[in-house]
Coordinates of all heavy atoms in Angstrom, one line a residue:
M1 N 40.6 12.3 -18.6 CA 41.2 12.6 -19.9 C 41.9 11.4 -20.5 O 42.6 10.7 -19.8 CB 42.2 13.8 -19.7 CG 42.7 14.3 -21.0 SD 43.7 15.8 -20.7 CE 44.7 15.7 -22.1
K2 N 41.8 11.2 -21.8 CA 42.4 10.0 -22.4 C 43.9 10.3 -22.5 O 44.4 11.4 -22.6 CB 41.8 9.9 -23.8 CG 40.4 9.4 -23.9 CD 39.9 9.2 -25.3 CE 38.5 8.7 -25.3 NZ 38.1 8.6 -26.7
D3 N 44.7 9.1 -22.6 CA 46.1 9.2 -22.7 C 46.6 9.5 -24.1 O 47.5 10.3 -24.3 CB 46.8 7.9 -22.2 CG 46.7 7.7 -20.8 OD1 46.5 8.7 -20.0 OD2 46.8 6.6 -20.3
K4 N 45.8 8.9 -25.1 CA 46.2 9.1 -26.5 C 44.9 9.4 -27.3 O 43.8 9.0 -27.0 CB 46.8 7.8 -27.0 CG 48.2 7.6 -26.5 CD 48.8 6.3 -27.2 CE 50.2 6.1 -26.7 NZ 50.9 4.9 -27.3
C5 N 45.1 10.0 -28.5 CA 44.1 10.2 -29.4 C 43.7 8.9 -30.1 O 44.6 8.1 -30.5 CB 44.5 11.2 -30.5 SG 43.3 11.5 -31.8
D6 N 42.4 8.6 -30.2 CA 41.9 7.3 -30.8 C 42.3 7.3 -32.3 O 42.5 6.2 -32.9 CB 40.4 7.2 -30.6 CG 40.0 7.0 -29.2 OD1 40.9 6.6 -28.4 OD2 38.9 7.4 -28.8
T7 N 42.3 8.4 -33.0 CA 42.5 8.5 -34.4 C 44.0 8.4 -34.8 O 44.4 7.6 -35.6 CB 41.9 9.7 -35.0 OG1 40.5 9.8 -34.5 CG2 41.9 9.7 -36.5
C8 N 44.8 9.4 -34.2 CA 46.2 9.5 -34.7 C 47.2 9.1 -33.7 O 48.4 9.3 -33.9 CB 46.4 11.0 -35.1 SG 46.3 12.2 -33.8
N9 N 46.8 8.6 -32.5 CA 47.7 8.1 -31.4 C 48.5 9.3 -30.8 O 49.6 9.0 -30.3 CB 48.6 7.0 -32.0 CG 48.1 5.7 -31.5 OD1 47.1 5.6 -30.8 ND2 48.8 4.6 -31.9
Y10 N 48.1 10.5 -31.0 CA 48.8 11.6 -30.4 C 48.8 11.5 -28.9 O 47.7 11.3 -28.3 CB 48.2 12.9 -30.8 CG 49.0 14.2 -30.4 CD1 50.0 14.6 -31.1 CD2 48.6 14.9 -29.3 CE1 50.7 15.8 -30.8 CE2 49.3 16.0 -28.9 CZ 50.3 16.4 -29.6 OH 51.0 17.6 -29.2
R11 N 49.9 11.6 -28.2 CA 50.0 11.4 -26.8 C 49.6 12.7 -26.1 O 50.3 13.7 -26.2 CB 51.4 11.0 -26.3 CG 51.4 10.1 -25.2 CD 52.7 9.5 -24.9 NE 53.1 9.8 -23.5 CZ 54.2 10.4 -23.1 NH1 55.1 10.7 -24.0 NH2 54.3 10.7 -21.9
Y12 N 48.5 12.7 -25.3 CA 48.0 14.0 -24.6 C 48.8 14.2 -23.3 O 49.1 15.3 -23.0 CB 46.5 13.9 -24.3 CG 45.6 13.8 -25.5 CD1 44.7 12.8 -25.6 CD2 45.7 14.8 -26.5 CE1 43.8 12.8 -26.7 CE2 44.8 14.7 -27.5 CZ 43.9 13.7 -27.6 OH 43.1 13.7 -28.7
D13 N 49.0 13.1 -22.6 CA 49.7 13.2 -21.3 C 51.2 13.3 -21.6 O 51.9 12.3 -21.6 CB 49.3 12.0 -20.5 CG 49.7 12.3 -19.0 OD1 49.9 13.5 -18.6 OD2 49.8 11.3 -18.3
R14 N 51.7 14.5 -21.7 CA 53.1 14.7 -22.2 C 54.1 14.4 -21.0 O 54.9 13.6 -21.1 CB 53.3 16.2 -22.7 CG 52.3 16.6 -23.6 CD 52.1 15.7 -24.8 NE 53.3 15.7 -25.6 CZ 53.6 16.6 -26.6 NH1 52.8 17.6 -26.8 NH2 54.7 16.5 -27.2
E15 N 54.0 15.2 -20.0 CA 54.9 15.1 -18.8 C 54.1 15.6 -17.6 O 53.1 16.3 -17.7 CB 56.2 15.8 -19.0 CG 55.9 17.3 -19.3 CD 57.2 18.0 -19.8 OE1 58.1 17.3 -20.3 OE2 57.2 19.2 -19.7
L16 N 54.7 15.4 -16.4 CA 54.1 15.8 -15.2 C 54.0 17.4 -15.2 O 55.0 18.0 -15.4 CB 54.9 15.3 -14.0 CG 54.2 15.5 -12.6 CD1 52.9 14.6 -12.6 CD2 55.2 15.1 -11.5
G17 N 52.8 17.9 -15.0 CA 52.7 19.4 -15.0 C 52.7 20.1 -16.3 O 52.7 21.3 -16.4
Y18 N 52.5 19.3 -17.4 CA 52.5 19.9 -18.7 C 51.4 20.9 -18.9 O 51.5 22.0 -19.4 CB 52.4 18.8 -19.8 CG 52.3 19.4 -21.2 CD1 53.4 19.9 -21.9 CD2 51.1 19.4 -21.8 CE1 53.3 20.4 -23.1 CE2 50.9 19.9 -23.1 CZ 52.0 20.4 -23.8 OH 51.9 20.9 -25.0
F19 N 50.2 20.5 -18.3 CA 49.0 21.3 -18.5 C 48.8 22.4 -17.4 O 47.8 23.0 -17.3 CB 47.8 20.4 -18.6 CG 47.6 19.7 -19.9 CD1 47.8 18.3 -19.9 CD2 47.4 20.4 -21.1 CE1 47.7 17.7 -21.1 CE2 47.2 19.7 -22.3 CZ 47.4 18.4 -22.3
L20 N 49.9 22.6 -16.7 CA 49.8 23.6 -15.6 C 49.5 25.0 -16.2 O 48.8 25.8 -15.7 CB 51.1 23.7 -14.8 CG 51.0 23.9 -13.3 CD1 50.2 22.8 -12.7 CD2 52.3 24.0 -12.7
G21 N 50.1 25.3 -17.4 CA 49.9 26.6 -18.0 C 48.5 26.8 -18.6 O 48.1 27.9 -18.9
A22 N 47.8 25.7 -18.8 CA 46.4 25.8 -19.3 C 45.5 26.5 -18.4 O 44.5 27.1 -18.8 CB 45.9 24.4 -19.6
K23 N 45.8 26.6 -17.1 CA 45.0 27.3 -16.1 C 45.0 28.8 -16.4 O 44.0 29.5 -16.1 CB 45.4 27.0 -14.7 CG 46.7 27.6 -14.3 CD 47.0 27.3 -12.8 CE 48.4 27.8 -12.5 NZ 48.8 27.4 -11.1
Y24 N 46.0 29.3 -17.0 CA 46.1 30.7 -17.3 C 45.1 31.0 -18.5 O 44.5 32.0 -18.6 CB 47.5 31.2 -17.6 CG 48.4 31.0 -16.5 CD1 49.4 30.0 -16.4 CD2 48.3 31.8 -15.3 CE1 50.2 29.8 -15.3 CE2 49.1 31.7 -14.2 CZ 50.0 30.7 -14.2 OH 50.8 30.5 -13.2
I25 N 45.1 30.1 -19.4 CA 44.2 30.2 -20.6 C 42.7 30.1 -20.1 O 41.9 30.8 -20.5 CB 44.5 29.1 -21.6 CG1 45.9 29.4 -22.2 CG2 43.4 29.1 -22.7 CD1 46.3 28.3 -23.2
S26 N 42.5 29.1 -19.2 CA 41.2 28.9 -18.6 C 40.7 30.2 -17.9 O 39.6 30.6 -18.0 CB 41.2 27.7 -17.6 OG 39.9 27.6 -17.0
Y27 N 41.6 30.8 -17.1 CA 41.3 32.0 -16.4 C 41.0 33.2 -17.4 O 40.0 33.9 -17.2 CB 42.5 32.5 -15.6 CG 42.4 33.8 -14.9 CD1 41.6 33.9 -13.8 CD2 43.0 34.9 -15.4 CE1 41.4 35.2 -13.1 CE2 42.8 36.2 -14.8 CZ 42.0 36.3 -13.7 OH 41.9 37.5 -13.1
G28 N 41.8 33.3 -18.5 CA 41.5 34.3 -19.5 C 40.1 34.1 -20.1 O 39.4 35.0 -20.3
L29 N 39.8 32.8 -20.4 CA 38.5 32.5 -21.0 C 37.4 32.9 -20.1 O 36.4 33.5 -20.5 CB 38.4 31.0 -21.4 CG 39.2 30.5 -22.6 CD1 39.1 29.0 -22.6 CD2 38.6 31.1 -23.8
A30 N 37.5 32.6 -18.8 CA 36.5 32.8 -17.8 C 36.2 34.3 -17.7 O 35.1 34.8 -17.6 CB 36.9 32.2 -16.5
V31 N 37.3 35.1 -17.6 CA 37.2 36.6 -17.5 C 36.5 37.1 -18.7 O 35.6 38.0 -18.6 CB 38.6 37.2 -17.3 CG1 38.5 38.7 -17.4 CG2 39.2 36.8 -15.9
L32 N 37.0 36.7 -19.9 CA 36.3 37.1 -21.1 C 34.9 36.8 -21.2 O 34.0 37.7 -21.5 CB 37.1 36.5 -22.3 CG 36.7 37.0 -23.7 CD1 37.2 38.4 -23.9 CD2 37.2 36.1 -24.8
Q33 N 34.5 35.6 -20.8 CA 33.1 35.2 -20.8 C 32.3 36.1 -19.8 O 31.1 36.5 -20.0 CB 32.9 33.8 -20.5 CG 33.4 32.9 -21.6 CD 33.8 31.5 -21.2 OE1 33.8 31.2 -20.0 NE2 34.1 30.6 -22.1
G34 N 32.9 36.3 -18.6 CA 32.2 37.1 -17.6 C 32.0 38.5 -18.1 O 30.9 39.1 -17.9
V35 N 33.0 39.1 -18.7 CA 32.9 40.5 -19.1 C 31.9 40.6 -20.2 O 31.0 41.5 -20.2 CB 34.3 41.0 -19.6 CG1 34.2 42.3 -20.4 CG2 35.2 41.2 -18.4
I36 N 31.9 39.7 -21.2 CA 30.9 39.7 -22.3 C 29.5 39.5 -21.7 O 28.6 40.2 -22.1 CB 31.2 38.6 -23.3 CG1 32.5 38.9 -24.1 CG2 30.0 38.3 -24.2 CD1 33.0 37.8 -25.0
T37 N 29.3 38.6 -20.8 CA 28.0 38.4 -20.1 C 27.5 39.7 -19.5 O 26.3 40.1 -19.6 CB 28.1 37.3 -19.1 OG1 28.5 36.1 -19.7 CG2 26.7 37.0 -18.5
F38 N 28.4 40.3 -18.7 CA 28.0 41.6 -18.0 C 27.6 42.6 -19.0 O 26.6 43.3 -18.8 CB 29.2 42.1 -17.2 CG 28.9 43.3 -16.5 CD1 28.2 43.3 -15.3 CD2 29.3 44.6 -17.0 CE1 27.9 44.5 -14.6 CE2 29.0 45.7 -16.3 CZ 28.3 45.7 -15.2
F39 N 28.4 42.8 -20.1 CA 28.0 43.9 -21.0 C 26.7 43.6 -21.8 O 25.9 44.5 -22.0 CB 29.2 44.1 -22.0 CG 30.2 45.0 -21.4 CD1 31.5 44.5 -21.1 CD2 30.0 46.3 -21.1 CE1 32.5 45.3 -20.6 CE2 31.0 47.1 -20.5 CZ 32.2 46.6 -20.3
I40 N 26.5 42.3 -22.1 CA 25.3 41.9 -22.8 C 24.1 42.3 -21.9 O 23.1 42.9 -22.3 CB 25.3 40.5 -23.2 CG1 26.2 40.2 -24.4 CG2 23.9 40.0 -23.5 CD1 26.4 38.8 -24.8
L41 N 24.2 41.8 -20.6 CA 23.1 42.1 -19.7 C 22.9 43.6 -19.4 O 21.8 44.1 -19.3 CB 23.4 41.4 -18.3 CG 23.2 39.9 -18.3 CD1 23.6 39.3 -17.0 CD2 21.7 39.5 -18.6
H42 N 24.0 44.3 -19.2 CA 24.0 45.7 -18.8 C 23.4 46.6 -19.9 O 22.6 47.5 -19.6 CB 25.4 46.2 -18.5 CG 25.4 47.5 -17.9 ND1 25.1 47.7 -16.6 CD2 25.8 48.7 -18.4 CE1 25.2 49.0 -16.3 NE2 25.6 49.7 -17.4
F43 N 23.7 46.3 -21.2 CA 23.2 47.1 -22.3 C 21.9 46.6 -22.9 O 21.1 47.4 -23.5 CB 24.3 47.3 -23.4 CG 25.4 48.1 -22.9 CD1 26.7 47.5 -22.6 CD2 25.2 49.5 -22.6 CE1 27.7 48.3 -22.1 CE2 26.3 50.2 -22.1 CZ 27.5 49.6 -21.9
S44 N 21.6 45.3 -22.7 CA 20.3 44.8 -23.2 C 19.2 45.0 -22.3 O 18.0 45.2 -22.7 CB 20.4 43.3 -23.5 OG 21.4 43.1 -24.5
F45 N 19.5 44.9 -21.0 CA 18.5 45.1 -19.9 C 18.9 46.1 -18.9 O 19.4 45.8 -17.8 CB 18.2 43.7 -19.2 CG 17.9 42.6 -20.1 CD1 18.9 41.7 -20.5 CD2 16.7 42.4 -20.7 CE1 18.7 40.6 -21.3 CE2 16.4 41.4 -21.5 CZ 17.4 40.5 -21.8
P46 N 18.8 47.4 -19.3 CA 19.3 48.5 -18.4 C 18.6 48.5 -17.0 O 19.2 49.1 -16.1 CB 19.0 49.8 -19.2 CG 18.6 49.3 -20.5 CD 18.2 47.9 -20.5
S47 N 17.4 48.0 -16.9 CA 16.7 48.1 -15.6 C 17.2 47.0 -14.6 O 16.8 47.1 -13.4 CB 15.2 47.9 -15.9 OG 15.0 46.7 -16.4
L48 N 18.0 46.1 -15.0 CA 18.5 45.1 -14.1 C 19.4 45.7 -13.0 O 20.2 46.6 -13.3 CB 19.3 44.0 -14.8 CG 18.5 42.9 -15.6 CD1 19.5 41.9 -16.2 CD2 17.6 42.2 -14.7
S49 N 19.3 45.1 -11.8 CA 20.2 45.6 -10.7 C 21.6 45.1 -10.9 O 21.8 44.0 -11.5 CB 19.6 45.2 -9.4 OG 19.8 43.8 -9.2
T50 N 22.6 45.8 -10.4 CA 24.0 45.3 -10.5 C 24.2 44.0 -9.8 O 24.9 43.1 -10.3 CB 24.9 46.4 -9.9 OG1 24.6 47.7 -10.5 CG2 26.4 46.1 -10.2
F51 N 23.5 43.8 -8.7 CA 23.6 42.6 -7.9 C 23.2 41.4 -8.8 O 23.8 40.4 -8.8 CB 22.7 42.6 -6.7 CG 22.7 41.4 -5.9 CD1 23.8 41.0 -5.1 CD2 21.6 40.5 -6.0 CE1 23.8 39.8 -4.4 CE2 21.6 39.3 -5.3 CZ 22.7 38.9 -4.5
F52 N 22.0 41.6 -9.5 CA 21.5 40.5 -10.4 C 22.5 40.2 -11.5 O 22.7 39.1 -11.9 CB 20.1 40.8 -10.9 CG 19.5 39.7 -11.6 CD1 19.0 38.5 -10.9 CD2 19.4 39.7 -13.0 CE1 18.5 37.5 -11.6 CE2 18.9 38.6 -13.7 CZ 18.4 37.5 -13.0
E53 N 23.1 41.3 -12.1 CA 24.0 41.2 -13.2 C 25.2 40.3 -12.7 O 25.7 39.4 -13.4 CB 24.5 42.5 -13.7 CG 23.4 43.2 -14.5 CD 23.8 44.7 -14.8 OE1 24.8 45.2 -14.2 OE2 23.2 45.3 -15.7
I54 N 25.7 40.7 -11.5 CA 26.9 40.0 -11.0 C 26.6 38.5 -10.7 O 27.3 37.6 -11.0 CB 27.5 40.7 -9.8 CG1 28.1 42.0 -10.1 CG2 28.5 39.8 -9.0 CD1 28.5 42.9 -9.0
L55 N 25.4 38.3 -10.2 CA 24.9 36.9 -10.0 C 24.8 36.1 -11.2 O 25.3 34.9 -11.3 CB 23.5 37.0 -9.3 CG 23.1 35.8 -8.5 CD1 23.9 35.8 -7.2 CD2 21.6 35.9 -8.1
M56 N 24.3 36.7 -12.3 CA 24.3 36.0 -13.6 C 25.7 35.8 -14.2 O 25.9 34.7 -14.8 CB 23.4 36.9 -14.6 CG 22.0 36.9 -14.3 SD 21.2 35.4 -14.1 CE 21.2 34.7 -15.8
V57 N 26.6 36.7 -14.0 CA 28.0 36.5 -14.4 C 28.6 35.3 -13.7 O 29.2 34.5 -14.3 CB 28.8 37.8 -14.2 CG1 30.3 37.5 -14.3 CG2 28.4 38.9 -15.2
I58 N 28.4 35.2 -12.4 CA 28.9 34.1 -11.6 C 28.3 32.8 -12.1 O 29.0 31.8 -12.3 CB 28.7 34.3 -10.1 CG1 29.5 35.5 -9.6 CG2 28.9 33.1 -9.3 CD1 29.2 35.9 -8.2
L59 N 27.0 32.8 -12.4 CA 26.3 31.6 -12.9 C 26.9 31.2 -14.2 O 27.2 30.0 -14.4 CB 24.8 31.9 -13.0 CG 23.9 30.7 -13.4 CD1 23.8 29.7 -12.3 CD2 22.6 31.2 -13.8
V60 N 27.0 32.1 -15.2 CA 27.5 31.8 -16.5 C 29.0 31.3 -16.4 O 29.3 30.3 -17.0 CB 27.5 33.1 -17.4 CG1 28.3 32.9 -18.7 CG2 26.0 33.3 -17.8
M61 N 29.8 31.9 -15.5 CA 31.2 31.5 -15.4 C 31.3 30.1 -14.8 O 32.1 29.3 -15.1 CB 32.0 32.5 -14.5 CG 32.3 33.8 -15.3 SD 32.9 35.1 -14.2 CE 34.7 34.6 -14.1
T62 N 30.3 29.8 -13.9 CA 30.3 28.5 -13.3 C 29.9 27.4 -14.3 O 30.5 26.3 -14.3 CB 29.3 28.4 -12.1 OG1 29.7 29.5 -11.2 CG2 29.3 27.1 -11.4
I63 N 28.9 27.7 -15.1 CA 28.4 26.7 -16.1 C 29.5 26.5 -17.2 O 29.8 25.4 -17.5 CB 27.1 27.2 -16.7 CG1 26.0 27.1 -15.7 CG2 26.7 26.4 -17.9 CD1 24.7 27.8 -16.1
L64 N 30.1 27.6 -17.7 CA 31.1 27.5 -18.7 C 32.4 27.0 -18.2 O 33.3 26.6 -19.0 CB 31.2 28.8 -19.5 CG 30.0 29.3 -20.3 CD1 30.3 30.6 -20.9 CD2 29.6 28.2 -21.3
G65 N 32.6 27.0 -16.9 CA 33.9 26.6 -16.3 C 34.3 25.2 -16.7 O 35.4 24.8 -16.9
R66 N 33.3 24.3 -16.7 CA 33.5 22.9 -17.0 C 34.0 22.7 -18.5 O 34.8 21.9 -18.8 CB 32.3 22.1 -16.8 CG 31.9 22.0 -15.3 CD 30.6 21.2 -15.1 NE 30.8 19.8 -15.6 CZ 31.3 18.8 -14.8 NH1 31.7 19.1 -13.6 NH2 31.4 17.6 -15.3
K67 N 33.4 23.6 -19.4 CA 33.8 23.5 -20.8 C 35.2 24.1 -20.9 O 36.0 23.7 -21.7 CB 32.8 24.3 -21.6 CG 31.5 23.6 -21.8 CD 31.6 22.5 -22.7 CE 30.2 21.8 -22.8 NZ 30.3 20.4 -23.4
N68 N 35.5 25.2 -20.2 CA 36.8 25.9 -20.2 C 37.9 25.0 -19.8 O 39.0 25.1 -20.4 CB 36.8 27.1 -19.3 CG 36.0 28.2 -19.9 OD1 35.6 28.2 -21.1 ND2 35.7 29.2 -19.1
Y69 N 37.6 24.0 -18.9 CA 38.7 23.1 -18.5 C 39.3 22.3 -19.6 O 40.5 22.3 -19.8 CB 38.1 22.2 -17.4 CG 39.0 21.1 -16.9 CD1 40.0 21.4 -16.0 CD2 38.9 19.8 -17.4 CE1 40.9 20.5 -15.6 CE2 39.8 18.8 -16.9 CZ 40.8 19.2 -16.0 OH 41.7 18.2 -15.6
K70 N 38.4 21.8 -20.5 CA 38.9 21.0 -21.6 C 39.4 21.9 -22.8 O 40.4 21.7 -23.4 CB 37.9 20.0 -22.1 CG 37.7 18.9 -21.2 CD 36.8 17.8 -21.7 CE 36.7 16.6 -20.8 NZ 35.7 15.7 -21.2
L71 N 38.6 23.0 -23.0 CA 39.0 23.9 -24.1 C 40.3 24.5 -23.9 O 41.1 24.7 -24.8 CB 37.9 25.0 -24.2 CG 38.1 26.0 -25.3 CD1 38.1 25.3 -26.7 CD2 37.0 27.1 -25.3
S72 N 40.6 24.9 -22.6 CA 41.9 25.5 -22.3 C 43.1 24.5 -22.6 O 44.1 24.9 -23.0 CB 42.0 26.0 -20.9 OG 41.9 25.0 -20.0
R73 N 42.8 23.3 -22.3 CA 43.9 22.2 -22.6 C 44.1 22.1 -24.1 O 45.2 21.9 -24.5 CB 43.5 20.9 -21.9 CG 43.7 20.9 -20.4 CD 43.3 19.6 -19.8 NE 43.7 19.6 -18.4 CZ 44.3 18.6 -17.8 NH1 44.5 17.5 -18.5 NH2 44.7 18.6 -16.6
V74 N 43.0 22.1 -24.8 CA 43.1 22.0 -26.3 C 43.9 23.2 -26.8 O 44.8 23.0 -27.6 CB 41.7 21.9 -26.9 CG1 41.8 22.1 -28.4 CG2 41.0 20.6 -26.6
L75 N 43.5 24.4 -26.4 CA 44.3 25.6 -26.8 C 45.7 25.5 -26.4 O 46.6 25.8 -27.2 CB 43.6 26.8 -26.3 CG 42.2 27.1 -26.8 CD1 41.6 28.3 -26.0 CD2 42.3 27.5 -28.3
Y76 N 46.0 25.0 -25.2 CA 47.4 25.0 -24.7 C 48.2 24.0 -25.5 O 49.4 24.3 -25.8 CB 47.3 24.6 -23.2 CG 48.7 24.8 -22.6 CD1 49.1 26.0 -22.2 CD2 49.5 23.7 -22.3 CE1 50.4 26.2 -21.6 CE2 50.7 23.8 -21.7 CZ 51.2 25.1 -21.3 OH 52.4 25.3 -20.7
I77 N 47.6 22.9 -25.8 CA 48.4 21.8 -26.6 C 48.7 22.3 -28.0 O 49.6 21.9 -28.6 CB 47.7 20.5 -26.5 CG1 48.7 19.3 -26.6 CG2 46.7 20.3 -27.7 CD1 48.1 18.0 -26.2
H78 N 47.8 23.3 -28.5 CA 48.1 23.8 -29.8 C 49.1 24.9 -29.8 O 49.8 25.2 -30.8 CB 46.8 24.3 -30.5 CG 46.0 23.1 -31.1 ND1 45.1 22.4 -30.3 CD2 46.0 22.6 -32.3 CE1 44.6 21.5 -31.1 NE2 45.1 21.6 -32.3
I79 N 49.2 25.6 -28.7 CA 50.2 26.7 -28.5 C 51.6 26.1 -28.3 O 52.5 26.5 -28.9 CB 49.8 27.6 -27.4 CG1 48.5 28.4 -27.7 CG2 50.9 28.6 -27.1 CD1 47.9 29.1 -26.5
F80 N 51.6 25.0 -27.5 CA 52.9 24.4 -27.1 C 52.8 22.9 -27.5 O 52.7 22.0 -26.7 CB 53.2 24.5 -25.7 CG 53.3 25.9 -25.2 CD1 52.3 26.5 -24.4 CD2 54.4 26.7 -25.5 CE1 52.4 27.8 -24.0 CE2 54.5 28.0 -25.1 CZ 53.5 28.6 -24.3
P81 N 52.9 22.6 -28.8 CA 52.7 21.2 -29.3 C 53.9 20.3 -29.0 O 53.8 19.1 -29.1 CB 52.5 21.4 -30.8 CG 53.2 22.6 -31.2 CD 53.1 23.5 -30.0
W82 N 55.1 20.8 -28.7 CA 56.3 19.9 -28.5 C 56.4 19.4 -27.1 O 55.8 19.9 -26.2 CB 57.5 20.6 -28.9 CG 57.7 21.9 -28.2 CD1 58.3 22.2 -27.0 CD2 57.2 23.2 -28.7 NE1 58.2 23.5 -26.7 CE2 57.6 24.2 -27.7 CE3 56.6 23.6 -29.9 CZ2 57.3 25.5 -27.9 CZ3 56.3 25.0 -30.0 CH2 56.6 25.9 -29.0
Ligands
ZN1 ZN1 44.3 12.8 -33.2

């Protein structure tokens, strides 16, 4: 992660442990994405087995987890900008 914004020089690295709270946002995003994936699969493909649905949910959560890492920090810095 960069220390400062290239455009406006905004300092991202505020203090030690500043982004600790972002993990709760990341967790919330992961749960939301997992639930949405499950419902889409469950109602779009009723013949799928529950095991396969859970497998797909885990796969989607793993793939989106890397995006959630940065997205949760962006959301966190906007919630607590000071
Ligand atoms: Zn900027």
